[in-house]
Amino acid sequence: MNHTNQNSDNIKLTKREIEVVKLLIEGFENEEIADKINISTHTVKAHISGIMKKLDAKNRTEAACKALKLQLL
């Protein structure tokens, strides 16, 4: 079994993670994301970290690309 092939069936983002990744895709920085959805920048970082882990992404750009590719939005 090849674990590098991901599909959206086994990846579940929370509603908040989906909000955050949508804003990532739009190019917003952590502080802007925090302001837009009324959470702290620390919480934004935690969400991005969780998103990256779930998507096995090395950085926020890769996470955004994978979220789009897997149609998680």
Side-chain angles (χ1 to χ4, degrees), residues 11-25 33 37 39 43-55 63-64 67 72-73:
I11 299 171
K12 302 295 181 213
L13 297 181
T14 66
K15 288 180 182 181
R16 187 62 100 180
E17 287 171 338
I18 290 170
E19 279 183 282
V20 170
V21 83
K22 283 181 178 178
L23 293 169
L24 272 182
I25 290 165
I33 293 170
I37 59 177
I39 60 176
T43 304
V44 171
K45 289 177 189 177
H47 284 308
I48 292 171
S49 178
I51 292 163
M52 288 171 50
K53 185 174 181 178
K54 288 179 181 182
L55 297 178
L72 298 177
L73 313 174

